[in-house]
Amino acid sequence: MQDERRILTGWGRTSHARTRAVSPASEAEVAGALAAPAGRLIAFGGGRSYGDAALNDGGDTLLTGALNRILSVDEASGVLVCEPGVTFRELIDRFLDRGWVAPVSPGTAFATIGGAVANDVHGKNHDRAGSFGDHVLWLDLLAPDGRLLRLSSRENVELFRATIGGIGLTGVILKIAFAMKRVSSSFVTVREARAGNLDALMAALRAARAQSTYTVAWIDATATGRSLGRGILEAAEHAEAGFPARPARRALRLPVDFPDFALNPLSIGLFNQLYYRRVPAAGRARTLPFDAFLYPLDALLDWNRMYGRRGFYQFQCVIPEAEADRGIRALLETIAASRSASFLAVLKTLGSAGRGFLSFPFPGFTLALDFPARAKTPELMARLERLTLDHGGRVYLAKDACLSSEGFRRMYPQLPHYEAVLHEIDPMGRLRSDMARRLRIGDA
Ligand SMILES: Cc1cc2nc3c(=O)[nH]c(=O)nc-3n(C[C@H](O)[C@H](O)[C@H](O)COP(=O)(O)OP(=O)(O)OC[C@H]3O[C@@H](n4cnc5c(N)ncnc54)[C@H](O)[C@@H]3O)c2cc1C
């Protein structure tokens, strides 16, 4: 098994870890890495979490990239069993043209299935489909003490609920069984409509969530005054087109870090204006390959370098339905006044709560956006954390690098259940991450 000293970062490149990275290719090698007498360990999948969820500064990191086999597929039921390092990209490449897709997918295909379980990720179909964990039939977990455990809604139930959305601290997931979804076409028809302000955008999302399979809104977080919260609603359905050849997706790569001055309030504001106007005032409908719709940012590899060497923070929260109008408005007013928001932000609705003790989703609106890292950004993030708490919301750990441990405890009321499971399964704290230390998980 390879073993190398590396510096790993989160996708936002503000969190770094000097680590000893191992790349097991089999269950026995994972067991060997877990049993090693050395320090603490965390699994690292596709590295698409923005902050420190998969980082372990000064300790060991288990890279799951070589655990990437699809073990079985039942073409009648769609049940797929795979290792954790399989990516959404591989599922698209192998199954889309055969009429099967992952039941839920995040906005990047470079995320792994292990990472999707550990953050209980959601997609543009959350109102209809819930989060990834809702589709997991069972998991095989190598516990910190080396036991191999089968987890499901019938076996080791508490550990199952702690592992879904459990940010990698309950053990190393070795196998995942989940049901894929049948689709009628590898293309989707996307209806796009402008909304001139926040009330109109939220009303459009509320109407669309009841009618459409996929919904998302791009929001201009730099707009102020009467245009505050203007954006573009996208609602999509699988097309009637069947499975004609899809155009090859040629991704470009950003070869260098942009200089810091490239992203400034002027260039960002201008970009957002142009983006808003790309859809005609009367709206439009177009047909797109499913993967181009799901993963628009994947067309530019290493796009995180656009933020320069200092990187960027992403903020994503969910505000419960009853507070959503007030809460999202308060957040956007603060963000627009800070003049530090980046390109397009995303506003989505979320349906039911996830199964995991630390699952992020609950019914309401979720807002996600990037901020280039500047001296004052952590202060802004702290203000957004307080506003989120004031409106009964929570911050998404997959995107987080800044949340306080006090805020985290208030946002995740099932944390005591999760910590009780952790104390039982990992009394010595063998699995730890920088996020766990920052949020003082398991310290209570
Ligand atoms: C462009 C972009 C768009 C995104 N869009 C969305 C979105 O729409 N919805 C959404 O929910 N998220 C979204 N995300 C976040 C992303 O889906 C999650 O962070 C996801 O967990 C990343 O998976 P990964 O394989 O990169 O995992 P990593 O980031 O490497 O790790 C994530 C967590 O999983 C744990 N883990 C990984 N493998 C294992 C394993 N085998 N056993 C135990 N624990 C493991 C790690 O320890 C860590 O805690 C987006 C991210 C990007 C960059």
Side-chain angles (χ1 to χ4, degrees):
M1 182 168 41
Q2 283 178 8
D3 158 351
E4 50 177 339
R5 299 269 153 202
R6 280 184 62 177
I7 297 178
L8 294 173
T9 70
W11 185 247
R13 298 168 83 208
T14 50
S15 308
H16 303 82
R18 283 176 194 281
T19 185
R20 191 176 70 100
V22 293
S23 299
S26 66
E27 192 175 313
E29 288 186 352
V30 176
L34 258 183
R40 293 169 166 185
L41 183 88
I42 195 70
F44 185 99
R48 260 51 187 187
S49 296
Y50 284 66
D52 48 6
L55 301 184
N56 188 19
D57 192 33
D60 294 351
T61 307
L62 189 145
L63 308 178
T64 65
L67 299 164
N68 62 352
R69 281 166 299 182
I70 292 176
L71 301 169
S72 67
V73 193
D74 180 337
E75 289 264 0
S77 65
V79 172
L80 182 139
V81 180
C82 70
E83 292 185 328
V86 168
T87 62
F88 286 88
R89 181 79 258 158
E90 283 150 17
L91 297 185
I92 288 280
D93 290 347
R94 284 189 54 176
F95 299 109
L96 178 56
D97 292 329
R98 284 146 74 177
W100 292 105
V101 297
V104 164
S105 179
T108 173
F110 296 112
T112 64
I113 304 302
V117 174
N119 271 321
D120 193 13
V121 303
H122 56 274
K124 298 182 172 96
N125 58 350
H126 190 268
D127 281 296
R128 296 280 171 97
S131 48
F132 195 87
D134 292 323
H135 302 270
V136 173
L137 302 172
W138 52 261
L139 300 170
D140 276 351
L141 183 83
L142 201 62
D145 64 5
R147 277 179 302 155
L148 180 63
L149 300 171
R150 172 69 51 102
L151 320 181
S152 72
S153 52
R154 287 186 303 280
E155 287 170 276
N156 295 305
V157 179
E158 294 285 291
L159 189 52
F160 187 52
R161 293 190 63 197
T163 300
I164 291 176
I167 49 171
L169 300 177
T170 58
V172 178
I173 300 164
L174 288 178
K175 288 181 192 161
I176 304 114
F178 63 96
M180 293 204 290
K181 184 175 100 161
R182 245 285 168 240
V183 292
S184 56
S185 173
S186 49
F187 284 74
V188 283
T189 302
V190 187
R191 193 167 45 81
E192 292 172 299
R194 277 196 211 169
N197 57 42
L198 185 62
D199 286 341
L201 191 63
M202 290 180 77
L205 271 166
R206 284 192 173 103
R209 79 195 296 191
Q211 290 160 11
S212 303
T213 306
Y214 302 98
T215 51
V216 63
W218 303 103
I219 184 167
D220 177 356
T222 62
T224 53
R226 282 182 11 209
S227 302
L228 183 93
R230 71 176 176 184
I232 297 168
L233 170 80
E234 291 190 4
E237 295 298 334
H238 284 275
E240 299 294 315
F243 300 91
R246 280 173 294 128
R249 280 196 92 194
R250 259 179 245 100
L252 301 173
R253 183 175 289 279
L254 206 64
V256 291
D257 293 318
F258 272 23
D260 282 347
F261 60 79
L263 295 190
N264 57 56
L266 202 69
S267 63
I268 290 170
L270 189 67
F271 176 90
N272 277 344
Q273 282 208 28
L274 291 173
Y275 194 85
Y276 178 68
R277 297 192 194 289
R278 100 198 141 84
V279 171
R284 68 175 178 186
R286 27 186 212 141
T287 300
L288 288 176
F290 184 54
D291 50 337
F293 169 68
L294 280 192
Y295 313 120
L297 291 172
D298 287 356
L300 185 59
L301 302 176
D302 295 337
W303 62 260
N304 53 351
R305 301 185 75 172
M306 213 159 48
Y307 288 96
R309 299 174 75 112
R310 285 193 279 181
F312 67 106
Y313 295 96
Q314 173 150 120
F315 173 80
Q316 181 171 359
C317 70
V318 52
I319 304 291
E321 189 62 57
E323 277 294 311
D325 293 85
R326 276 188 295 274
I328 299 290
R329 180 170 295 280
L331 288 163
L332 280 175
E333 281 170 353
T334 303
I335 291 163
S338 77
R339 300 191 76 224
S340 32
S342 179
F343 304 113
L344 314 152
V346 171
L347 186 67
K348 275 195 289 213
T349 51
L350 294 179
S352 53
R355 290 205 272 188
F357 293 131
L358 298 188
S359 285
F360 167 70
F362 60 59
F365 278 73
T366 178
L367 175 70
L369 74 163
D370 298 338
F371 299 100
R374 302 284 182 262
K376 288 197 158 173
T377 322
E379 202 179 299
L380 173 64
M381 300 294 276
R383 243 182 301 147
L384 299 180
E385 173 182 329
R386 284 195 296 276
L387 279 175
T388 303
L389 276 167
D390 289 348
H391 293 278
R394 68 165 58 132
V395 165
Y396 188 15
L397 298 182
K399 307 293 183 71
D400 177 57
C402 295
L403 187 59
S404 70
S405 117
E406 298 72 32
F408 168 62
R409 273 174 202 279
R410 287 175 59 195
M411 289 173 185
Y412 286 85
Q414 297 198 72
L415 181 62
H417 298 296
Y418 173 79
E419 287 184 317
V421 176
L422 271 197
H423 280 301
E424 203 169 305
I425 197 75
D426 192 14
M428 309 302 288
R430 179 82 182 91
L431 289 171
R432 296 298 275 170
S433 63
D434 291 344
M435 173 170 272
R437 283 184 280 272
R438 174 168 59 87
L439 299 178
R440 303 209 198 104
I441 294 175
D443 286 3

